[in-house]
Amino acid sequence: MLRPASAEDLAALVALARHPDVAATLSTRAADTLTAESAAVLAIEDRGRLVGGVCWALVNRRSRIAEVRTLMLDPAARGRGLAVATIRELAARLVHDHAIHRVEAEVYGFNGRAQRVFERAGFTREGLRRRAYDRAGGWQDGVRFGLLAEELIDNRRCNR
Ligand SMILES: CC(C)(COP(=O)(O)OP(=O)(O)OC[C@H]1O[C@@H](n2cnc3c(N)ncnc32)[C@H](O)[C@@H]1OP(=O)(O)O)[C@@H](O)C(=O)NCCC(=O)NCCS
């Protein structure tokens, strides 16, 4: 279940984003941007417990493009498909409730697990930003993902 993060959630999510395993896979500013006013932060809840978070931002108002950022789950909550369900639900909300036309995300090239999550959630791998980030002791690729509103509707029809 996804819900707006409360102040209490935010403190727990900042701590999760700073956990070394998680921090290594997020942008260097992720923990700080969680508390920035521009970020829409959602808490991921499972059986009444906070297990992670995800953010989104409107990156182009005229063309109605949103970007998904800072997807993270507590290590104990991983491997159960929660991340895929979260991205599917967030994309559906962005399209249906916020009239978003295109949802984007970027994942480090070394983060195969997160790439698989976006693929399983119906996103298309749209491109590779080669050696874009100075991270983890070397230059890392950024893998770009995109999902169009009409694809979300088509995917739903196919999955029925
Ligand atoms: C990314 C994250 C949210 C994914 O959640 P998760 O619960 O671990 O996801 P799952 O275990 O369900 O794995 C998702 C898929 O990746 C696959 N996978 C797991 N490890 C993998 C790897 N090293 N390489 C490629 N695919 C992998 C799984 O098999 C699964 O695919 P399947 O459903 O087809 O079997 C979680 O690992 C996390 O919080 N990581 C730290 C933060 C992070 O990396 N965020 C992403 C920033 S873009």
Side-chain angles (χ1 to χ4, degrees), residues 38-138:
S38 56
V41 186
L42 298 172
I44 306 171
E45 211 176 65
D46 183 41
R47 288 167 273 185
R49 216 171 62 82
L50 176 73
V51 293
V54 64
C55 302
W56 70 273
L58 185 65
V59 292
N60 188 318
R61 189 174 298 275
R62 178 179 166 79
S63 299
R64 294 182 278 126
I65 302 176
E67 186 164 80
V68 175
R69 299 173 179 161
T70 322
L71 169 68
M72 57 185 170
L73 281 177
D74 186 284
R78 293 183 196 164
R80 289 193 268 126
L82 275 176
V84 175
T86 294
I87 296 301
R88 281 196 182 131
E89 186 180 337
L90 176 56
R93 283 193 197 183
L94 291 173
V95 168
H96 298 300
D97 302 347
H98 297 274
I100 289 296
H101 154 72
R102 181 182 158 79
V103 186
E104 298 181 344
E106 187 167 339
V107 180
Y108 287 126
F110 59 74
N111 196 346
R113 185 178 280 247
Q115 289 170 43
R116 183 79 188 125
V117 167
F118 283 97
E119 281 168 352
R120 293 256 289 130
F123 283 62
T124 296
R125 185 181 288 249
E126 294 185 326
L128 189 75
R129 300 182 67 227
R130 295 172 305 144
R131 292 163 63 83
Y133 301 102
D134 182 3
R135 208 73 170 92

